[in-house]
Amino acid sequence: KFNYYHALASVQRAKKANREALKVLNDAEGLLDDTSKFAFYAVRGFVNADLEKWSDAVDDLEKARALKQSAAILEYLGKAYYRLGYADKAVPVLREATKLNPNNANSQLFLADSLINLARETTDSAKKKSLFNEALQVATKYRNLKPDDYYAVNLVGKAALGAQAFKEPEQAFTRVLVLNPDYCYAMVNLSKTYIAGEKWAAAEKISRKAIQCAPRLNAGYESLGYSLQKQKKLEEALEVYKR
């Protein structure tokens, strides 16, 4: 009976034995009928997501979604699209997920990040602004659910920077570095914020810290080179750009 396979796979997943759970579910696929399809595709989709088999997860979760609306299905489906780099597909799915369960932090997290990625991809200035503003609203909800999470604060800063609300990202990235002084990406983002506000000396200082923190992160060199260039330190800027 399918129910036995389903129960066994569910227990294995709870024990994080996902490869064993996937094998059990694959063995049970021939026993499906109309009453068991949703449970099968939902659990196998979750297992594939746990195993980071994102394309397989999308296939199963889309089938489950077609059978029944579920916040959990939408959360995992949106995450799978996000991990595959399909921000345009992740955003509408995660919007549905947050409507069904507004207090799910994971859905808010992946929606905010997907909106930021989608905004960066678009060339339409009006659409870009709208997406960044929506991302800022969602990121703020996520931060409110996790107020001491440095990544949540950083997400607010990234969205605010994209929305060109320059006071807020400076406060956010400064707060991130209080919560996690070694978070290199926040240093780079703070340098971009200072550049946007034409605070060239401050941008130079934090860019140098970002390069010390992550010597292979090219964005730190880009910010440092630009801040030096704006201060007419052209020879040094040239060397930084070359690096």
Side-chain angles (χ1 to χ4, degrees):
K1 289 185 178 180
F2 169 77
N3 287 348
Y4 301 156
Y5 289 88
H6 178 263
L8 176 57
S10 298
V11 172
Q12 288 171 325
R13 181 177 178 242
K15 292 173 66 177
K16 301 189 184 303
N18 287 301
R19 294 190 186 281
E20 291 85 348
L22 184 58
K23 183 180 184 305
V24 168
L25 289 165
N26 288 339
D27 290 343
E29 192 165 8
L31 301 174
L32 292 181
D33 59 27
D34 288 344
T35 63
S36 57
K37 284 182 178 178
F38 174 78
F40 172 77
Y41 289 122
V43 174
R44 195 170 71 172
F46 295 152
V47 169
N48 276 318
D50 292 340
L51 290 168
E52 298 186 3
K53 295 176 177 283
W54 302 119
S55 294
D56 291 340
V58 164
D59 289 343
D60 283 335
L61 294 170
E62 282 289 12
K63 290 172 184 174
R65 180 192 186 193
L67 294 165
K68 189 191 296 186
Q69 193 80 318
S70 158
I73 296 292
L74 293 169
E75 176 199 338
Y76 272 80
L77 180 58
K79 179 181 177 180
Y81 278 132
Y82 169 83
R83 293 298 189 192
L84 287 167
Y86 298 138
D88 57 328
K89 294 181 183 293
V91 164
V93 171
L94 290 164
R95 279 177 180 148
E96 288 183 56
T98 55
K99 284 179 184 177
L100 290 176
N101 187 357
N103 293 320
N104 185 307
N106 282 335
S107 294
Q108 300 285 1
L109 163 63
F110 288 113
L111 177 55
D113 246 338
S114 297
L115 285 163
I116 290 170
N117 291 339
L118 192 59
R120 287 172 174 169
E121 290 170 8
T122 186
T123 56
D124 184 308
S125 57
K127 185 178 180 183
K128 185 184 288 287
K129 183 177 180 180
S130 175
L131 288 167
F132 272 125
N133 284 332
E134 183 183 356
L136 179 55
Q137 293 175 358
V138 176
T140 302
K141 289 177 185 176
Y142 177 60
R143 183 198 59 194
N144 291 342
L145 292 169
K146 292 183 172 287
D148 294 322
D149 184 332
Y150 73 88
Y151 191 84
V153 181
N154 189 67
L155 202 58
V156 170
K158 286 201 300 181
L161 183 58
Q164 298 183 334
F166 296 128
K167 184 177 180 181
E168 192 161 2
E170 183 175 338
Q171 293 173 342
F173 297 133
T174 302
R175 172 66 176 158
V176 171
L177 292 171
V178 170
L179 295 169
N180 185 352
D182 297 322
Y183 193 52
C184 310
Y185 291 107
M187 297 177 193
V188 171
N189 286 329
L190 184 55
S191 73
K192 291 178 180 177
T193 304
Y194 286 142
I195 286 171
E198 299 185 359
K199 298 179 179 179
W200 312 122
E204 177 189 347
K205 183 178 179 181
I206 195 65
S207 296
R208 292 188 187 280
K209 287 188 68 175
I211 289 169
Q212 289 179 344
C213 181
R216 296 181 64 83
L217 191 63
N218 70 315
Y221 296 97
E222 183 181 352
S223 292
L224 177 57
Y226 192 72
S227 60
L228 289 168
Q229 181 181 341
K230 285 295 184 178
Q231 294 177 86
K232 307 299 183 186
K233 300 176 182 180
L234 301 182
E235 291 297 328
E236 190 177 359
L238 185 61
E239 290 305 310
V240 171
Y241 282 144
K242 286 177 180 178
R243 289 181 68 187

